[in-house]
Structure formats: C-alpha cells, structure tokens
Amino acid sequence: MPDTGARQRFFDKQVHMQVWKDSMACIHEDNVIASIEDCGFKLGTDFVRQHPIGNRFVIDIAFVPERFAIEVDGKSHEGQNGYAKDKKRDRFFYDNGWVVVRVPEKKFFGVGASFYKFLIREVVDARRKQLEGGFLYNIEINDYKEEDY
C-alpha cells in the first residue's frame, strides 16, 4: 500500500526551501514585488512570495492574514491549457476563502500598472477592514475594470 502522506511531507519540506521558491518565481516577479512595495507594503511583513495553499498549489504573492493572492501570469498561462489550469487553481483558492487577482506580467509594467496597483491596495484595505470586523467574505474582483483607471 502506498504512503499517502509522502506527497504531503515532500510538499511541506520543498515549498519552504529558498532555492525552490526562487526556481518557481517568474522572471518578472521581483519587479512586481518592487511595485507592490511602492504601494507601501513590505515583503515579509505584509506579504510573502511563493506561499503554499493546501498540499496542491503555491501562490506567487500572498497577503496571508487577508487571504489575498496575486498570481503573476506569464507565457505558461497563455492558451486554452493555461487558462483551464488557472480556472481550476482559482476555484480551489476561492473554495478555501482566498481572493485571487491575476496580473498578466506584461500589463503590470505597461498601461495597466496603475490599475493593478490601485486594485491591490483596494483589496488589501477591504480585507483588512473585514478582519477587524472578525469575518472575511469574498470580494467580486470582476467589478473592477482596468479601463476605468
């Protein structure tokens, strides 16, 4: 009979190794982190990178107490296969109480940069207010449109 806990033990050990986190990061993740820090948030204090959720997925950038995830989407997220995988991940995050914002890496540094910075600030502030009230509820990200900012 196979050891069903082996995958979990491997995952638990692996995701906390810095070399593994570095290998998982996309090419633009450091630039995204710098942009988030420009919004007044601090890596290691307000948010972390490569944060595991359950024993299946790792979030690119996570505001852990706020249960807010930022996924930086590069080329591997393009096409039907990438889109299908992202939908599955997003459903898992949503079912586990997380709000996810997907940022196409190209847009984060182009015309859409100010929109995504605004969106991140808005979601973090809203989630922190919810935490003060003692309850987190989902925010509908689709209400925010890039062309409005």
Side-chain angles (χ1 to χ4, degrees):
M1 186 163 157
D3 180 3
T4 57
R7 180 177 173 9
Q8 180 66 47
R9 286 191 303 277
F10 171 78
F11 187 84
D12 287 345
K13 180 179 178 184
Q14 195 75 10
V15 298
H16 298 291
M17 296 172 63
Q18 189 62 45
V19 68
W20 188 81
K21 287 183 179 193
D22 292 341
S23 73
M24 291 293 294
C26 75
I27 191 168
H28 294 292
E29 193 171 295
D30 288 336
N31 294 332
V32 172
I33 288 169
S35 294
I36 294 169
E37 288 181 325
D38 286 344
C39 295
F41 300 115
K42 185 172 172 146
L43 178 64
T45 302
D46 295 305
F47 67 96
V48 296
R49 59 188 280 256
Q50 301 302 322
H51 181 73
I53 301 296
N55 66 350
R56 296 175 42 193
F57 299 113
V58 175
I59 292 173
D60 292 336
I61 297 167
F63 288 79
V64 178
E66 295 85 0
R67 296 178 82 84
F68 172 50
I70 301 167
E71 289 281 274
V72 182
D73 293 349
K75 288 187 183 272
S76 66
H77 297 266
E78 294 174 359
Q80 195 63 28
N81 191 33
Y83 179 75
K85 286 180 181 179
D86 288 346
K87 292 294 275 182
K88 182 178 180 181
R89 289 172 59 92
D90 291 351
R91 172 51 54 189
F92 180 83
F93 297 148
Y94 180 86
D95 290 346
N96 286 279
W98 284 79
V99 172
V100 178
V101 169
R102 291 197 162 276
V103 180
E105 65 182 4
K106 295 175 193 172
K107 287 203 167 206
F108 202 88
F109 306 106
V111 176
S114 60
F115 165 73
Y116 285 106
K117 288 179 184 179
F118 168 82
L119 181 59
I120 290 165
R121 168 59 69 195
E122 285 286 308
V123 173
V124 171
D125 287 348
R127 299 292 275 182
R128 286 181 175 171
K129 285 179 187 172
Q130 291 174 7
L131 278 173
E132 288 173 9
F135 183 73
L136 285 174
Y137 57 91
N138 280 329
I139 296 170
E140 191 57 51
I141 297 299
N142 296 332
D143 291 343
Y144 295 93
K145 302 287 184 235
E146 182 178 338
E147 56 272 7
D148 295 337
Y149 298 91

